[in-house]
Amino acid sequence: MQKSYLITTPIYYVNDEPHLGHAFTTLCADVYSRFLKIQRKDAFFLTGTDEHGMKIAEIAKEKGKSPKEFCDEISEKFKKTWKELSIEYDFFVRTTDKYHELAVKKFIEILKEKNQIYQKEYEGLYCVGCEKFLTEKELENGLCPHHKRAPLKLREKNYFLKIQDKLPKIKSLVETGKFKIFPEFAKKEVFGLLEQGLEDLSISRDKERVKWGIEFPGDKSQLVYVWFDALINYISSVGFARNKKKFERWWQKSFVVHFIGKDILKFHAIFWPAMLLCAKIKTPNQLAVNGFFTVEGQKMSKTLGNVIRPKDLIERFGVDATRYLILSQFPFGEDGDIKMSKFAEKYNADLAFGLGNLVSRVLNLAKKQNINLKKTLVQKSIENEVKRRKNNYQKFLINFGFYESLKEIWHLIHFCDKYIDKEKPWEKRENSKKVILNLGYCIKEISKMLSPFCPQKSKEIQEQIQEKKLEPLFKKL
Ligand code: MSP
C-alpha cells in the first residue's frame, strides 16, 4: 500500500496576529505538502490555532473581550492570512473545538487506565509567556530571558505524567532513525536534553488560577495544561476521538512530519512522543525544525515595532513573489536575518529579470518565428541538463532543502539565458527553431518545478505557453 503523509505546523497562539515567523514555518509545510501531492503521494496538511491557557485569558481581558470571542477573532485572522498566502491546508484545528476537547479527555482516560498519571504537590517558577515552568538556572536577573518578566512562584497539587521511564525508548527511536530529527543541531540538542534527564510532566493546573482551558476528567478543580492540550491537536484533528478509519489512515499508517521552530523542540521531541508512548499510540516519524530569523539584526517584537506581517509583503510584491522571497533567504534549519531592502533587490534580480525575462524572451522568439511551443521537442543534451537539475531539486526538497531546491531552478534559468546568448536564435539561423523548442521545453519544466513554491505563477507560465495569456509575470519595481 502507498505510504501516506501527515504534514503539520505548530498550532499558533492567538495572543498575536500572524507574522512572518509564523508564515515561514507554515509556508515550508505548505510547499512540502504541495510537493508530495504533485508526486501523487497521499498527503494531509494540518494547521490551526492554540487557544487555551493563562496567556490568552490575560490578553482577552486586556482587550475587554471574553476569551472565546477573542480567540474567534484572531483564529479568523490566521485563516485569512493563510488564504492570502495561498496556503492550501486540508484542515484547520482549533483547540476550543468540541472534537478536540473530546480527544483530550479520551487521551487522559487512556492514560488513567494505563496507570500513567499520579498526583503530586509541586512548587515551581512559571512563565506565563512561555506557558511552562522554568528552573532558577534558566532565569536572567530573576526574569524569563525570552519574555523579560518575572515568573510566578507556584505551589499546587497537580496531575503528573510518568514520562521519565519513556526517555530511553525515545533515545533509541532517535538513534535508530525511526524518529528522524532534521537538522543535525536539533538532533544533538535532543540527545543533550535526554542526557540531562527530565522530571515527570505536570499536565494539569489549578482552576482557581488558570481559568481558561479544558476541564481535567474526573477532577473539577483542575484544568488540562495548555501544552498537553495543544500537542493532542495532531491526533484530535485526524479522528482520534470519533473517526477510527480516519485516525488509522492519517496517524497510525502515515509518515508523520511535524514542522516546528527550534523554540518548541523539547515539547515535540520529548514530551509529545513520551505522551504517546504512555498511551501506547504510534509516535511521529519526523521533526523538521526551522531556525529563527531576525529583522535587520533584531528580534521581531511589537515593542521594537519591527514586526513584519505577511500582508505587508503581499501588498508590495504579490503572493507568489512573497512566497519565493521568504523561502529563498536562507536554508531551512538555519537562523537568518531579513532585510526589506534585500527583498526588493532579489525581487528585481530573480523574478522580474531572471524568471520573468526568460519566459517573455522565449515566448516572443516563438511568436516572431511562428513556432508552436505547445509541442514538446527537445535535444538530448538539453533534456539531460534539465533532468540533472530536476533530480537535485527533488533530492533537496524531500529533505527540506527549500532554499537549495529553489537554487536548482535558478541554475536552470541561468543555463537558459546563457544558451540563448550563445545560440542567438533571434538571428533566425538554420537551427533557431530547434533552439526555441528546446527553450520552450525548459520553461515548461521550470514552471512545473516552481509549482509548489509559486503555484499561481507556475500556472501563468503554462497559460502563456498555451497562448491564453500574455502579460509580464513580474513587474519591475
Ligand atoms: N502554541 C505553541 C505551539 C503549539 S504546537 C502543539 C506556539 N505557538 S507560537 O504562536 O508561539 O508559534 C511558535 C512558532 O512560530 C515557532 O515554533 C516557529 O515555527 C514560528 N516562529 C515564530 N517566530 C519565528 C521567527 N522569528 N522565525 C522563524 N519562525 C518563527 O509556540
Side-chain angles (χ1 to χ4, degrees):
M1 206 184 80
Q2 216 224 68
K3 186 158 77 173
S4 57
Y5 290 81
L6 176 66
I7 310 300
T8 74
T9 73
I11 48 169
Y12 302 105
Y13 284 131
V14 289
N15 66 323
D16 191 8
E17 293 181 17
H19 58 58
L20 210 54
H22 306 128
F24 181 69
T25 313
T26 310
L27 203 47
C28 291
D30 181 61
V31 169
Y32 202 72
S33 148
R34 285 175 181 268
F35 173 64
L36 292 173
K37 287 173 182 170
I38 291 169
Q39 312 248 306
R40 300 194 181 285
K41 302 261 196 280
D42 208 15
F44 194 84
F45 173 28
L46 188 66
T47 189
T49 41
D50 188 355
E51 307 187 2
H52 289 130
M54 272 173 106
K55 180 155 68 176
I56 310 297
E58 266 184 8
I59 187 156
K61 200 169 166 195
E62 264 171 40
K63 306 261 174 202
K65 301 201 168 127
S66 77
K68 183 63 171 63
E69 199 185 346
F70 179 72
C71 291
D72 287 348
E73 204 177 284
I74 308 287
S75 188
E76 241 355 270
K77 287 199 175 155
F78 272 91
K79 281 189 185 162
K80 186 163 172 269
T81 302
W82 298 154
K83 195 165 176 205
E84 286 165 357
L85 251 187
S86 289
I87 303 292
E88 224 172 42
Y89 54 79
D90 293 296
F91 191 72
F92 190 99
V93 53
R94 296 186 56 188
T95 54
T96 50
D97 284 339
K98 197 71 197 160
Y99 60 84
H100 177 75
E101 183 184 333
L102 286 175
V104 171
K105 290 186 168 162
K106 177 174 168 183
F107 197 88
I108 292 174
E109 293 300 349
I110 296 177
L111 295 174
K112 278 189 192 168
E113 257 169 47
K114 299 200 181 305
N115 195 23
Q116 295 294 313
I117 292 179
Y118 63 97
Q119 258 190 316
K120 183 173 86 171
E121 185 88 44
Y122 187 79
E123 197 179 83
L125 299 165
Y126 193 79
C127 171
V128 178
C130 298
E131 290 284 13
K132 67 176 184 187
F133 282 105
L134 300 175
T135 58
E136 289 276 3
K137 258 202 276 171
E138 285 172 304
L139 303 184
E140 275 170 18
N141 302 322
L143 305 179
C144 161
H146 301 295
H147 297 95
K148 311 284 177 223
R149 67 191 261 188
L152 304 173
K153 220 180 195 142
L154 297 182
R155 185 189 177 85
E156 30 177 85
K157 199 168 186 181
N158 296 146
Y159 290 96
F160 281 76
L161 184 64
K162 296 180 185 170
I163 65 165
Q164 283 188 48
D165 58 342
K166 313 299 178 299
L167 303 183
K169 175 71 186 170
I170 296 176
K171 191 168 176 217
S172 99
L173 286 172
V174 180
E175 275 169 350
T176 55
K178 285 185 186 140
F179 183 26
K180 296 183 175 39
I181 301 179
F182 178 87
E184 205 50 34
F185 87 83
K187 191 166 154 184
K188 281 202 185 115
E189 198 175 317
V190 172
F191 283 132
L193 288 167
L194 289 165
E195 208 59 42
Q196 278 170 27
L198 284 157
E199 290 186 29
D200 281 343
L201 179 66
S202 151
I203 60 167
S204 74
R205 296 290 180 266
D206 196 327
K207 203 180 189 173
E208 280 300 300
R209 193 170 52 74
V210 180
K211 297 193 171 61
W212 178 235
I214 297 174
E215 200 171 274
F216 202 87
D219 188 341
K220 287 195 167 22
S221 75
Q222 299 276 302
L223 293 185
V224 177
Y225 169 41
V226 58
W227 261 102
F228 182 88
D229 157 1
L231 287 162
I232 293 174
N233 91 83
Y234 299 130
I235 55 175
S236 71
S237 36
V238 288
F240 173 64
R242 296 198 290 201
N243 190 334
K244 218 174 150 195
K245 241 178 151 177
K246 193 171 177 188
F247 185 60
E248 277 277 304
R249 176 172 177 201
W250 294 117
W251 186 267
Q252 307 281 48
K253 292 194 177 145
S254 267
F255 187 84
V256 176
V257 185
H258 294 312
F259 278 86
I260 57 166
K262 63 178 184 177
D263 54 329
I264 53 177
L265 179 62
K266 188 174 173 183
F267 290 98
H268 286 81
I270 299 183
F271 294 152
W272 178 225
M275 283 163 61
L276 292 161
L277 288 171
C278 287
K280 297 210 176 350
I281 298 174
K282 181 213 147 181
T283 50
N285 306 81
Q286 170 93 60
L287 289 186
V289 187
N290 71 251
F292 257 51
F293 53 74
T294 45
V295 176
E296 316 272 347
Q298 280 177 313
K299 194 180 159 190
M300 251 195 307
S301 96
K302 277 196 237 171
T303 348
L304 289 174
N306 65 348
V307 178
I308 303 179
R309 307 282 173 198
K311 194 168 58 91
D312 306 335
L313 296 180
I314 295 170
E315 274 166 10
R316 178 135 191 241
F317 302 111
V319 189
D320 278 18
T322 297
R323 291 171 62 102
Y324 172 74
L325 293 172
I326 295 177
L327 291 178
S328 60
Q329 292 301 306
F330 38 79
F332 182 87
E334 286 181 17
D335 290 335
D337 190 45
I338 278 181
K339 288 190 179 64
M340 279 305 252
S341 56
K342 221 170 132 194
F343 273 152
E345 250 172 55
K346 221 170 158 46
Y347 174 94
N348 279 333
D350 295 358
L351 299 173
F353 288 120
L355 174 64
N357 229 12
L358 172 68
V359 172
S360 75
R361 268 176 110 181
V362 174
L363 290 171
N364 281 326
L365 282 167
K367 201 171 162 201
K368 276 200 189 128
Q369 299 186 37
N370 225 347
I371 295 168
N372 180 2
L373 289 183
K374 284 176 241 170
K375 242 188 357 206
T376 299
L377 255 183
V378 61
Q379 274 176 296
K380 206 76 206 144
S381 59
I382 303 291
E383 194 184 9
N384 284 344
E385 176 61 12
V386 172
K387 266 194 190 151
R388 185 169 77 89
R389 291 295 175 193
K390 215 168 166 176
N391 276 340
N392 294 346
Y393 157 97
Q394 282 174 342
K395 268 188 224 146
F396 281 129
L397 204 39
I398 201 70
N399 292 306
F400 316 108
F402 303 99
Y403 168 91
E404 294 82 352
S405 53
L406 279 172
K407 280 238 171 315
E408 291 298 316
I409 304 180
W410 260 261
H411 282 315
L412 208 48
I413 292 174
H414 296 144
F415 166 82
C416 291
D417 284 338
K418 275 195 206 138
Y419 179 65
I420 299 182
D421 293 344
K422 183 170 154 253
E423 297 294 340
K424 305 187 176 34
W426 59 87
E427 287 178 359
K428 296 191 185 172
R429 283 190 293 207
E430 208 182 305
N431 71 340
S432 301
K433 184 169 178 191
K434 224 194 261 170
V435 171
I436 295 167
L437 281 166
N438 281 339
L439 288 163
Y441 169 80
C442 289
I443 60 171
K444 278 185 220 169
E445 292 301 311
I446 287 172
S447 81
K448 286 186 209 156
M449 289 160 82
L450 265 179
S451 170
F453 294 95
C454 305
Q456 194 53 41
K457 293 297 170 189
S458 155
K459 222 166 106 199
E460 268 178 43
I461 298 174
Q462 284 159 33
E463 283 170 358
Q464 297 207 2
I465 293 171
Q466 298 297 322
E467 292 163 21
K468 287 192 188 133
K469 211 172 173 184
L470 256 183
E471 267 170 39
L473 275 184
F474 300 95
K475 291 198 180 88
K476 190 182 165 289
L477 290 181

